Amino acid sequence: MKFDLDGLTVYFPYERIYLEQYQYMRSLKQTLDAGGHCLLEMPTGTGKTVCLLSLITSYQHAHPNTGKLVYCTRTVPEMNSVMEELGTVLAYRSEELRKEREAMAAGAVISSSAVVGDAMDIESAAGSQLVDNPNHNLNGSNNDAITNGNGDANGSNNEQQHQNRQPRKRKRIYGPKKSQPQNQLGPISHNNGAGGSGVLALCLSSRRNMCVHERVMRESDREAVDAACRSMTAPWALERARKARHNSGQGEGDGGNTASNNGNIETCPYFDGFQSAGEATSMPSGVYNLDELKKWGKSKSWCPYYLTRQAINHASVLVFNYQYMLDPKVAKMVSKELESESIIVFDEAHNIDSVCIEALSVTIHERHLEQATRSLGRLSSEVSRIKASDATRLQAEYQNLVNGLVDQGLLDAPPNEVGLASNILGTDILNEAVPGNIRRAEHFIAFMKKIVEHLKARLRTVAGPRGGVISETPLAFLHRMITTTSLEAKPLKFAYSRLSSLLRTLQVPNLDDYNALTDVADFASLVSTYSEGSPKFAIILEPNGSSIPGASDPVIQLACLDSSLAIAPLFKRFGSVVITSGTLSPIDLYPKLLQFEPCVSESFNMSTFRPCIRPLIITRGSDQLPVSTKFDDRGDMGVVRNFGSMLVELCSSIPDGVVAFFTSYSYMESIISEWDGMGILRQLTKSKLVFIETKDVVETTLALDNYRRACDSGRGAVFLSVARGKVSEGINFDRHYGRAVIMFGVPFQYTLSHILRARLEYLQTHYQIREQDFLNFDALRQASQCVGRVIRSKIDYGLMIFADSRYNRHDKRTKLPKWILQFLGDGQLNLSTDTAIAQVKHFLRIMAQPVDQTALKQVLLTLEEVEVMSPPIVRSFENGGQHAGS
């Protein structure tokens, strides 16, 4: 479907569109036209991704001065999903532009033939008809050419039909996808490249996800992959390999990609090929997901990771993780050269305030300080060795620090250089020269030893017999550190960047061995930088930071209290930042938390042809006793028994897959243990297999795979998981994988957490956000995110069961998203288990009926219906703001 939206031609790759999709794209366009930021809450399963991509890429096409589209996701599967959808959008636009060019060329030829003479009257008449209506061919065939879908998995592509005079065939509203246009992903050369205009779309991830080197790919974890890569691609490694080749008598072109060729110094053949190609390492137009990047890089013998980092400046669309924009340590290396006209999109951004806080927070355990001490010892030995063998290297670094070149950005390291980016946001710090007392390597190591020893002493005090939890402001902590250690405040600001310079000078391949030391340097820099003004950080010292009862693990935490610190540079730097998710309610709290003024803030209802969602609030068990997970009741055996009986009865009545969420790992473990003693688990296994989420990612992934296999086989399964866990954020339970989601309790944060208490106090003092308002907001968005896993398309259906008496309170349930509340009637409130089971069975009987294609068609807008909606708005602008028809 190609339609006009307030003067913008939008290329939407499906032949029908939902009303909320149209409204969503209109709000997006208003945001881009205003050059501001927006908050948009779109119901899950309604094609939010395809709306974002269609509208923004169409806007880029119509306005060439628009910058890049930077699409931020949370996980690698989401990243690949976005790239696949983008491939579909651009393939459709390319095909439409090709038809436009052909129609224009045909019109030009026929028009010129009409001028030659009167011998071809019929052709001349046909040519004049086309001239009078140049869009006749395009509009006449548009409805037959596009996919049958809505941004969900229910669309299908049909080939262009030129037989306009033949009777139209009845189209399927719902069906499996048919053949898509070829070459949607990878390099695209036909039709003027991707999107018909040579678009280059890239995604960027870690080395582990992009490496193609056979030996490095066999490494087990991210740290090992990074270390192996740096050891073969760092400038000093390449220099050593070059000298080894020279000493062994090989020329520069003799290969040199194995350890035997390079005198036991191995380099990466793909990185060598990338460097040898030089300026030729440009990427052709196309849409590259991770697999396509690896495939294309391997075919060229070029490293996909460094190739992508170099090609970022030439791309029109970038897709990567939140951290590449929000974490200053990563953002400085990746996104520092993005133009201010770029459009930044944060998808699934309901937890964006938490991501911002984590990016600027540091946690240091006692064991980390021991590791930092050992790291300083290794650095000291290495400095002594370099002094004896290659003193000029240290002298050159000293001279650079004297000139201030490192922190002024005049001596930027190449992309393959080993180093750390500064976590300090203030440009005044980055533009200063490094203080003289930490310029020499040995002086800086002694400086860091004093910091580590001071932190150890503070933790010993906390863990001692007279110790306890201590909370301080950065200014108070800094004053005590300076008084005790006789250090100056200014050099502390440069601790992180100075450590980065030293590690680069010493040619350290595995930076992860120095993680503990970098955390200490990061801590010192942040404390010193943000010590002035109103405290936006809190320093919490606890005698026991371990989750294991009885274990002693003193910890010091630098907690960022203001989530706007990390994202404020983005609001200031870029014209439009889009924050969107299916669960942003209550949406009015985000502008306060992130300190920005959205020009558009909207929450959309879900258009539906049947009540495909059935929210139920269960407040009582079968014995009419209230059920709740609040602290006073969660250990009550009556509550535990009622929760268990509720789950057994629901699993006996609901087919296929059921997902149950608990408020925390500890609560889930305790209640499962109690259920096992009561025999509830044995009853549960009679109807479904039981799988449990753990903190181990590999175990949870294996459990999910087996859960899906059980659902596919017809046996049915129940998956027990945790709110705020991996499963609640990135895993979809669509179709038979999730016919019901049960939320046991209200997932409040641990209110006795000292960090949470400090943040709540900060929000109350500075932003006038009441403690209970924030806790309710945070708990309800997590609950909404959990139950939202159950539905992923219009033809899907599922039960959303809130099992806690507190959900029945008005201040709780009204904070649920608008698209859930529209299905929550009075008859679904304050239910007992028995009455809820009756409603569950009734709902499932209704949903078991075949999909009414006629009813489904009524919620899908055709091109004609969209054009009826858009022209009055366009005419009002054309007529100087007059109403249509006036």
Side-chain angles (χ1 to χ4, degrees), residues 729-747:
E729 288 294 331
I731 307 299
N732 296 328
F733 295 95
D734 57 332
R735 299 177 291 119
H736 63 292
Y737 297 124
R739 288 304 178 202
V741 172
I742 308 165
M743 183 69 241
F744 287 113
V746 184

Side-chain angles (χ1 to χ4, degrees), residues 457-494:
R458 292 299 307 269
L459 286 184
R460 282 195 298 269
T461 303
V462 170
R466 296 184 180 181
V469 178
I470 298 176
S471 178
E472 295 180 356
T473 65
L475 182 60
F477 187 91
L478 182 64
H479 177 73
R480 184 164 180 173
M481 176 186 286
I482 293 174
T483 304
T484 306
T485 61
S486 301
L487 297 175
E488 297 179 10
K490 185 176 180 179
L492 289 171
K493 297 180 180 181
F494 295 87

Side-chain angles (χ1 to χ4, degrees), residues 16-36:
R16 292 177 183 270
I17 186 173
Y18 295 133
L19 175 61
E20 60 265 35
Q21 289 180 316
Y22 181 85
Q23 295 170 336
Y24 185 83
M25 286 193 280
R26 171 168 283 174
S27 295
L28 269 176
K29 183 180 182 297
Q30 291 172 354
T31 300
L32 300 183
D33 287 342

Side-chain angles (χ1 to χ4, degrees), residues 82-324:
V82 170
M83 298 305 289
E84 290 175 9
E85 196 72 74
L86 179 62
T88 302
V89 170
L90 293 181
Y92 170 66
R93 190 177 88 187
S94 176
E95 186 66 15
E96 286 299 305
L97 292 177
R98 181 188 65 80
K99 293 173 189 174
E100 289 181 11
R101 289 192 298 269
E102 290 180 354
M104 292 176 62
V109 170
I110 295 174
S111 299
S112 62
S113 65
V115 178
V116 174
D118 298 329
M120 305 293 290
D121 294 337
I122 298 176
E123 289 79 1
S124 299
S128 62
Q129 182 180 0
L130 285 174
V131 171
D132 292 337
N133 185 11
N135 292 324
H136 173 76
N137 183 43
L138 177 63
N139 293 334
S141 61
N142 190 47
N143 291 338
D144 297 331
I146 321 307
T147 64
N148 175 7
N150 317 288
D152 305 325
N154 60 339
S156 64
N157 267 352
N158 298 317
E159 297 207 359
Q160 174 71 26
Q161 303 292 329
H162 295 287
Q163 303 169 351
N164 296 323
R165 297 180 182 177
Q166 294 184 4
R168 287 187 176 182
K169 295 182 180 179
R170 187 172 183 270
K171 299 181 181 62
R172 293 182 61 188
I173 306 301
Y174 161 65
K177 283 195 174 182
K178 296 182 181 178
S179 60
Q180 298 279 0
Q182 297 297 315
N183 297 329
Q184 290 190 13
L185 295 177
I188 299 173
S189 57
H190 59 276
N191 289 346
N192 295 333
S197 57
V199 172
L200 176 61
L202 301 172
C203 57
L204 179 63
S205 186
S206 63
R207 289 177 173 86
R208 182 181 183 182
N209 296 323
M210 301 188 71
C211 183
V212 292
H213 191 283
E214 291 77 7
R215 182 182 67 79
V216 177
M217 290 171 63
R218 291 195 294 267
E219 297 291 349
S220 58
D221 55 13
R222 181 191 61 81
E223 291 81 4
V225 170
D226 288 350
C229 177
R230 291 188 183 108
S231 67
M232 293 189 291
T233 60
W236 48 265
L238 299 178
E239 180 62 21
R240 289 178 184 174
R242 187 191 65 78
K243 291 180 179 179
R245 284 197 301 270
H246 178 76
N247 294 335
S248 61
Q250 292 184 10
E252 291 295 329
D254 292 343
N257 57 0
T258 63
S260 58
N261 286 341
N262 291 340
N264 296 326
I265 299 178
E266 183 181 10
T267 58
C268 176
Y270 299 101
F271 183 77
D272 292 343
F274 167 74
Q275 281 205 317
S276 300
E279 296 295 329
T281 55
S282 59
M283 296 188 68
S285 170
V287 180
Y288 299 85
N289 63 8
L290 292 178
D291 290 337
E292 290 296 333
L293 280 170
K294 291 162 72 173
K295 183 193 303 182
W296 194 80
K298 199 166 187 177
S299 68
K300 294 284 188 179
S301 294
W302 294 347
C303 172
Y305 176 75
Y306 288 107
L307 175 65
T308 305
R309 285 186 59 177
Q310 176 177 289
I312 281 177
N313 293 333
H314 309 289
S316 304
V317 182
L318 297 173
V319 181
F320 44 55
N321 190 276
Y322 280 24
Q323 304 299 331
Y324 288 83

Side-chain angles (χ1 to χ4, degrees), residues 62 67 139 144 203 239 428 432 435 455 512 522 558 571 683 741 758 775 874:
N139 293 334
D144 297 331
C203 57
E239 180 62 21
D428 55 331
E432 292 184 33
L455 297 181
D512 295 297
D522 192 14
L558 175 67
F571 289 135
Q683 298 178 45
V741 172
L775 291 175
V874 176

Side-chain angles (χ1 to χ4, degrees), residues 4-24:
D4 183 275
L5 178 63
D6 299 348
L8 173 68
T9 301
V10 178
Y11 296 89
F12 187 76
Y14 301 102
E15 69 174 2
R16 292 177 183 270
I17 186 173
Y18 295 133
L19 175 61
E20 60 265 35
Q21 289 180 316
Y22 181 85
Q23 295 170 336
Y24 185 83

Side-chain angles (χ1 to χ4, degrees), residues 20 43-44 46 604-617 791 794 796 798 800 816-829 839 843 847:
E20 60 265 35
T44 59
T46 52
F604 301 96
N605 279 330
M606 177 187 290
S607 62
T608 180
F609 66 101
R610 61 177 183 174
C612 56
I613 299 174
R614 179 63 63 89
L616 301 173
I617 295 180
I791 185 163
K794 295 282 184 167
D796 200 2
M800 298 178 174
L816 292 171
K818 192 176 178 181
W819 58 273
I820 294 180
L821 290 175
Q822 76 181 86
F823 295 99
L824 184 62
D826 292 339
Q828 293 144 251
L829 305 176
Q839 289 208 28
F843 172 77
M847 292 298 106

